Each structure stands twice: as structure tokens, then as C-alpha cells.
Amino acid sequence: SLKTDIESPEAIEIVIYDMSGKLIETKKTSPSEVANYKFGQHYPSGIYSLIVNQSGKMIFASQVIKK
């Protein structure tokens, strides 16, 4: 799951890529729902890039390892 302290009420876009750069998932949600968003349950083991955008600007980026 993803924990954030986003103060703006504008919609959030969560984008996930695998290490080859292939788009795996895109999700639009409200800041109040982003803490409940879970991802990766159906992904194979690997390293993924997680990017969170708001108002067209990247506000968070991280790499996630799925074992």
C-alpha cells in the first residue's frame, strides 16, 4: 500500500512500470483514497518504478522490489 501526506484535493495519478520500461498499471484516485490503494498483488517478482503525479507534476517516485 502507499502512504502519503498529500494536502491538495486534486486527483492523483499512480503509474507503475517494470524495469524494462513497460507500463504495467495506471490508476487515478483522490488523495483521500491513495492510502487505501494496494498494488502488486498480481505482479511477478521483480523491480518496479512507482510514480505519483498530481496536476501534471511528479510528486513522488520510488522503486519497489516484489519478492
Side-chain angles (χ1 to χ4, degrees):
S1 64
L2 183 62
K3 296 187 183 212
T4 64
D5 56 349
I6 299 168
E7 297 177 10
S8 174
E10 295 180 39
I12 299 291
E13 178 184 50
I14 301 166
V15 185
I16 301 171
Y17 297 93
D18 69 10
M19 285 309 294
S20 69
K22 179 181 173 189
L23 177 64
I24 302 296
E25 184 173 347
T26 300
K27 169 81 174 174
K28 291 192 182 206
T29 189
S30 68
S32 62
E33 292 294 316
V34 76
N36 299 322
Y37 178 66
K38 295 185 189 234
F39 58 92
Q41 298 93 326
H42 60 279
Y43 299 173
S45 296
I47 300 172
Y48 297 88
S49 294
L50 171 94
I51 300 169
V52 179
N53 298 312
Q54 188 176 41
S55 302
K57 296 180 183 176
M58 182 177 62
I59 59 171
F60 177 80
S62 181
Q63 288 191 329
V64 179
I65 299 171
K66 166 106 188 254
K67 293 185 179 186

